Amino acid sequence: MRNGLFAKLALVNIKKNHQTYVPYILASLFDVAMLYMMLFINNNAGMKRIRHSGDVLMITSMGVGIIIIFSFIFLLYSNSFLMKRRQKELGLYNILGLEKRHISIVMSMETVITSLISLAGGILVGILGSKLVLLLLLKLIRLPAAFGFEIGIQAIITCLEVYGVIFAVILLVNIRKVYKAKPIELLKAENAGEREPKAKWLMALIGFICLFAGYYIAVTTESPLSALALFFVAVLLVMAGTYLLFTAGSIVILKIMRWNKKFYYKAKNFTAISGMLYRMKQNAVGLASICILSTGVLLMVSTTVCLNSGIDDIINLRCPSDVSVMYKADSKEQLENIRAKLLQEIEDQASYEKLNTEINFSSTLVKDGSGNWKFEKSDGSTFSELQNQLETLTVVPQEEYSRITGEEISLEPGEVLAYRDGKAGEDALEIHDSVYQVKEWLKDYEYVGDNFSSMDSIKLIVNDEDFQKLYEEQAEAYGGVSSMASMEMDVYLNGTEEEKEADASKIRDLAMEFFDGQKEAGNLPAESYCMTSVRYELYESFYSLFGGILFLGIFLGLLFLMGAAMIIYYKQVSEGYEDKDRFEIMQKVGMTHKEVKSSIHRQILMVFFLPLGMAALHIAMAFPMVKRLLALFSMTNIGLFAGCTVITILVFAVIYGIIYGLTARTYYKIVERR
């Protein structure tokens, strides 16, 4: 046969199957465009010169990997739907005289045509949209827009390589199916799977157990660090439970509903339950995929919007003052001398409204089996293994507390004031085999320095004798830099924002220069160091990090939403063809056209809004764990996160409803075709 005939057949096939090929090509084109735009940003020379570029490029690199993995899985799924719709056609070709190698050539040409359209269109859309996407990213990270236009040659090459491999794998999968299947099997493939599905009780039970276990982890995990360690375990359990419940649990529930004769033997319920029994076996995986993708969209968008909206809250927790300074040294006396000299320097250089300082030392306590807190080096255990055994301890001399609060106190040896999030605790604390009586649990304490900790934390005010005792015990246990005392200073400046920024930079430079001079003069040990935080610089850092995360959330949210929309469309088309004959029979045996349409409407509403309901349930159960994960970013405004989550779910539900409404038209056209 001439190759021209094969090419003509390929074009005719694409045209005749446009109802399924056009969405497939559009999805492929969208994937290519998304990858090009992410690669364009990742390889853009200008991005490497912006402040905090490492954070942004790390996020975009992660996005590149996710898009490639998603594209491979999603396009393989879309192709499997195409092949399912065309099995009868391919079987007919075989019976009419085309050999399997001829069919393979036709399919190769179809793949070449669709691939070229997808790649060319995707790269063109990517080029046109890349500047817009870059401007969006710069807007989110609060940087001025850069003018000019360029084409990412390396991005184009990578897109051609990645999607060339994906399309080649798809072609090999299709050819393998053609060679494995018999013509008679292909002809009858559309009629296969019409037996009533069996209730798989064990799979359904395992699904419920997996889902319950994932929910239990999400709800009961208290520590942010343990939440980080267990998050992916919970995600995997929920994903497994979702797929098992949709594939097996849904059939079990429908069969239980059918046992209720009074409920089942009603015209509307009878047709709805019977129809769903047959369709769930074939469509459960797709519906579960819609649920997982919807959950991913909701999680990414709600958390990233929350982080960006709550930057002020995060900054107020991490750096409440305009500039903070911390010195590490061997002893309290060294730090007191340095503080006095540094205060004099700052008095001469900047105008401030308030200045707080505090000398303390901080360490990590590990609880042993008897409930005694100890200063101990890690034995190699992970944070998740020690999640209920770790606590951050900060010890403050009583004269520091009196100087900060203006309250004169006198503590006896073994007597302490304690603060733990304003809550009362036990009457005595056992630390390193010594018992300390809590004279009072403080309801409030003005922290100096960074008051954020991802672990439980406690602050103790002690007399000089106990301060020295505890300091020596932790120094003996840890040694080195980790055992040094600290002098922390917070400076709240006067003036306009520009004046505050200038003075903050001046104080930071002054503190570093003063530290270097003291170290060179031998007034500080070699292991000592200085750390500074400037509020406006922290804003810039967080805008870059959270703006990049929001950009990735929006980008991947659109990608996953497209995936969910395509799966919904394919489900509507496949169910339309499967239900067409069934409902024609129903009309012939007495059901009116109105009853048939009502039954159709109920079924597709139940089937396609089930994933949205499950996704909302997943989000609700994940809320406590995600809340604790956000605490790792210093986001503790639960009301803001709850509001962002509710609004995201409502907006997504509207978009989901629009997608459903648009795709349902295709279903009705197929089913009601006469």
Side-chain angles (χ1 to χ4, degrees):
M1 291 187 181
R2 296 179 180 177
N3 287 334
L5 178 60
F6 293 139
K8 186 176 180 180
L9 276 174
L11 288 170
V12 169
N13 289 340
I14 293 172
K15 185 177 180 181
K16 286 176 62 179
N17 293 284
H18 68 278
Q19 194 175 47
T20 51
Y21 260 114
V22 170
Y24 172 75
I25 292 171
L26 289 176
S28 303
L29 187 151
F30 186 81
D31 286 347
V32 174
M34 296 286 272
L35 181 61
Y36 173 86
M37 289 186 282
M38 192 64 78
L39 287 166
F40 173 81
I41 293 172
N42 207 44
N43 298 328
N44 190 282
M47 290 298 297
K48 296 178 173 63
R49 293 192 292 268
I50 67 171
R51 63 171 185 260
H52 309 295
S53 61
D55 292 337
V56 179
L57 294 177
M58 176 190 69
I59 293 167
T60 55
S61 297
M62 187 188 307
V64 168
I66 293 173
I67 293 172
I68 292 173
I69 294 170
F70 175 83
S71 297
F72 183 77
I73 296 171
F74 177 70
L75 292 179
L76 276 175
Y77 169 83
S78 301
N79 173 74
S80 69
F81 172 81
L82 282 173
M83 287 298 293
K84 181 181 177 182
R85 296 299 322 145
R86 297 191 58 204
Q87 288 183 74
K88 187 175 181 179
E89 172 192 330
L90 297 175
L92 188 60
Y93 279 148
N94 209 247
I95 287 176
L96 292 176
L98 283 180
E99 298 177 11
K100 290 185 176 180
R101 64 186 181 89
H102 296 146
I103 297 175
S104 299
I105 294 173
V106 174
M107 295 183 71
S108 299
M109 290 189 172
E110 291 174 4
T111 302
V112 169
I113 293 169
T114 55
S115 301
L116 288 176
I117 295 172
S118 301
L119 286 167
I123 290 172
L124 178 61
V125 171
I127 290 172
L128 295 175
S130 57
K131 187 64 179 180
L132 182 63
V133 169
L134 181 59
L135 291 175
L136 172 64
L137 176 59
L138 292 175
K139 177 72 174 177
L140 291 175
I141 62 178
R142 308 293 179 95
L143 285 178
F147 294 97
F149 182 80
E150 62 181 288
I151 296 175
I153 303 300
Q154 184 58 48
I156 294 175
I157 294 171
T158 304
C159 285
L160 293 175
E161 291 173 346
V162 169
Y163 287 98
V165 171
I166 292 175
F167 291 133
V169 170
I170 288 172
L171 176 60
L172 292 174
V173 170
N174 292 345
I175 292 174
R176 180 175 177 271
K177 287 181 179 179
V178 170
Y179 273 92
K180 281 189 67 179
K182 298 177 182 178
I184 194 66
E185 292 175 348
L186 292 172
L187 284 171
K188 294 183 177 181
E190 289 188 358
N191 297 323
E194 289 298 319
R195 292 181 179 178
E196 181 178 316
K198 295 180 179 179
K200 299 177 181 178
W201 294 90
L202 181 59
M203 285 181 61
L205 179 61
I206 294 173
F208 278 112
I209 292 172
C210 287
L211 196 65
F212 177 80
Y215 286 169
Y216 181 81
I217 291 172
V219 172
T220 59
T221 303
E222 294 292 339
S223 167
L225 286 173
S226 57
L228 181 62
L230 294 173
F231 177 73
F232 290 104
V233 175
V235 167
L236 291 174
L237 285 170
V238 169
M239 288 179 65
T242 301
Y243 279 103
L244 288 171
L245 287 178
F246 270 95
T247 54
S250 59
I251 294 170
V252 168
I253 292 171
L254 287 169
K255 290 209 170 188
I256 291 173
M257 292 172 67
R258 197 169 65 175
W259 291 346
N260 187 341
K261 304 301 182 185
K262 292 182 180 179
F263 174 80
Y264 180 63
Y265 286 112
K266 292 180 182 178
K268 293 181 178 180
N269 297 336
F270 176 83
T271 54
I273 293 174
S274 297
M276 289 183 67
L277 267 172
Y278 284 97
R279 70 171 33 135
M280 286 307 294
K281 180 180 179 181
Q282 298 175 5
N283 298 325
V285 173
L287 294 173
S289 300
I290 295 171
C291 177
I292 296 300
L293 288 173
S294 300
T295 305
V297 172
L298 293 171
L299 268 179
M300 283 188 294
V301 175
S302 60
T303 53
T304 53
V305 169
C306 175
L307 285 172
N308 275 267
S309 303
I311 283 183
D312 286 337
D313 294 329
I314 295 170
I315 295 294
N316 288 334
L317 185 64
R318 297 298 298 262
C319 188
S321 61
D322 294 297
V323 59
S324 63
V325 179
M326 182 180 72
Y327 285 169
K328 285 280 190 179
D330 273 344
S331 68
K332 184 161 69 81
E333 290 72 21
Q334 287 177 333
L335 293 172
E336 286 173 342
N337 292 332
I338 291 170
R339 177 171 62 185
K341 296 176 182 177
L342 180 60
L343 283 173
Q344 185 60 52
E345 294 279 349
I346 293 175
E347 289 278 358
D348 299 336
Q349 296 286 335
S351 171
Y352 59 84
E353 176 187 345
K354 183 171 67 171
L355 189 150
N356 295 335
T357 70
E358 180 181 277
I359 292 175
N360 60 47
F361 76 85
S362 294
S363 189
T364 301
L365 295 173
V366 181
K367 185 185 288 186
D368 63 19
S370 62
N372 178 30
W373 293 99
K374 288 185 175 293
F375 302 108
E376 289 183 353
K377 289 185 178 181
S378 172
D379 60 359
S381 301
T382 64
F383 276 119
S384 60
E385 292 170 332
L386 296 173
Q387 55 184 300
N388 297 319
Q389 301 173 272
L390 295 177
E391 187 159 22
T392 301
L393 170 69
T394 302
V395 183
V396 183
Q398 63 182 5
E399 64 266 23
E400 289 292 306
Y401 176 80
S402 297
R403 186 182 52 77
I404 294 170
T405 63
E407 177 187 347
E408 291 296 327
I409 60 170
S410 178
L411 297 171
E412 300 295 326
E415 194 175 52
V416 301
L417 300 180
Y419 174 78
R420 185 190 280 143
D421 296 328
K423 301 174 184 176
E426 54 269 44
D427 295 331
L429 300 170
E430 189 175 356
I431 302 175
H432 222 68
D433 298 323
S434 297
V435 177
Y436 295 87
Q437 298 296 323
V438 180
K439 184 176 181 180
E440 180 185 355
W441 281 97
L442 302 173
K443 294 182 179 179
D444 191 26
Y445 189 93
E446 184 173 8
Y447 271 80
V448 179
D450 186 350
N451 60 13
F452 167 73
S453 175
S454 57
M455 294 184 292
D456 292 334
S457 59
I458 185 171
K459 203 152 191 171
L460 298 183
I461 293 89
V462 301
N463 66 11
D464 285 348
E465 180 182 333
D466 285 336
F467 180 87
Q468 191 63 31
K469 174 186 174 183
L470 287 167
Y471 178 72
E472 290 173 357
E473 286 175 346
Q474 62 93 29
E476 181 182 352
Y478 290 103
V481 176
S482 60
S483 67
M484 304 182 86
S486 304
M487 191 283 289
E488 299 181 68
M489 178 183 293
D490 286 344
V491 186
Y492 298 81
L493 297 166
N494 287 318
T496 64
E497 289 301 317
E498 291 76 11
E499 291 171 340
K500 287 182 179 180
E501 288 182 10
D503 283 348
S505 298
K506 190 187 300 182
I507 291 174
R508 176 199 57 204
D509 296 339
L510 175 66
M512 293 301 297
E513 290 171 5
F514 180 77
F515 171 78
D516 292 337
Q518 291 293 311
K519 201 167 183 180
E520 289 175 4
N523 296 328
L524 289 171
E527 297 84 5
S528 62
Y529 64 90
C530 173
M531 289 180 62
T532 60
S533 293
V534 178
R535 186 180 175 88
Y536 83 88
E537 291 179 352
L538 204 57
Y539 262 112
E540 293 177 352
S541 174
F542 277 44
Y543 278 134
S544 296
L545 177 61
F546 294 155
I549 293 174
L550 177 59
F551 172 78
L552 183 63
I554 294 171
F555 212 77
L556 296 182
L558 287 174
L559 184 67
F560 290 173
L561 184 62
M562 181 276 300
M566 291 304 301
I567 295 173
I568 291 172
Y569 174 81
Y570 287 144
K571 289 301 165 196
Q572 297 280 30
V573 172
S574 64
E575 293 197 356
Y577 283 113
E578 289 166 6
D579 291 346
K580 183 176 182 296
D581 294 336
R582 188 177 302 135
F583 284 110
E584 284 180 358
I585 294 170
M586 288 181 181
Q587 285 181 294
K588 289 177 182 178
V589 298
M591 288 185 70
T592 65
H593 181 75
K594 184 178 180 181
E595 288 174 333
V596 170
K597 189 170 183 179
S598 174
S599 180
I600 294 171
H601 188 64
R602 289 185 67 191
Q603 286 188 47
I604 58 178
L605 275 176
M606 290 171 68
V607 168
F608 286 101
F609 280 91
L610 181 61
L612 179 61
M614 283 292 291
L617 178 62
H618 289 346
I619 294 297
M621 300 307 293
F623 186 89
M625 175 171 270
V626 177
K627 176 185 70 176
R628 293 177 184 100
L629 289 174
L630 289 175
L632 293 172
F633 292 97
S634 308
M635 167 48 66
T636 57
N637 190 335
I638 308 306
L640 176 63
F641 178 46
C644 290
T645 301
V646 171
I647 292 171
T648 302
I649 291 174
L650 292 176
V651 172
F652 183 81
V654 171
I655 296 172
Y656 190 94
I658 293 171
I659 292 170
Y660 159 76
L662 294 173
T663 57
R665 294 180 182 178
T666 305
Y667 179 94
Y668 288 129
K669 287 179 181 178
I670 295 171
V671 173
E672 296 183 336
R673 191 178 296 162
R674 297 173 182 173

